[in-house]
Amino acid sequence: QHNIKDDPKLILEWLSEVDMLFLNKDEAIEILLANQVEKQPEKLQDEVNLLRLLREHGPMVVALTDGKR
């Protein structure tokens, strides 16, 4: 079992093997920031951009949760 905080770079590598990804917005931001995927961190607050960036790394389907939203 791996935690995102343990090795976010490894998580990003694994995404190429994933068809469906379920995670919350904070986890998505953590993975992308740790891997310096987005050069402008403020763009990571945009859910559409988060979904696009994650899909570019492999998963065909990405489900993103955001607390009570």
Side-chain angles (χ1 to χ4, degrees):
Q1 175 182 349
H2 280 52
N3 187 328
I4 290 172
K5 292 179 196 265
D6 292 341
D7 195 350
K9 291 183 181 190
L10 183 61
I11 300 294
L12 191 69
E13 289 175 24
W14 284 346
L15 291 185
S16 65
E17 304 296 323
V18 172
D19 293 324
M20 297 178 72
L21 177 66
F22 295 83
L23 72 169
N24 67 44
K25 182 177 179 180
D26 292 336
E27 292 168 334
I29 291 170
E30 187 173 343
I31 291 168
L32 296 171
L33 277 177
N35 288 282
Q36 301 176 349
V37 169
E38 176 58 64
K39 303 298 184 223
Q40 298 174 324
E42 63 275 6
K43 288 188 174 183
L44 296 177
Q45 294 303 316
D46 175 22
E47 290 89 358
V48 173
N49 190 43
L50 282 175
L51 293 168
R52 180 185 59 79
L53 290 169
L54 291 166
R55 286 197 63 222
E56 286 177 0
H57 286 88
M60 296 298 294
V61 176
V62 178
L64 190 66
T65 62
D66 187 15
K68 293 183 179 189
R69 283 185 50 189

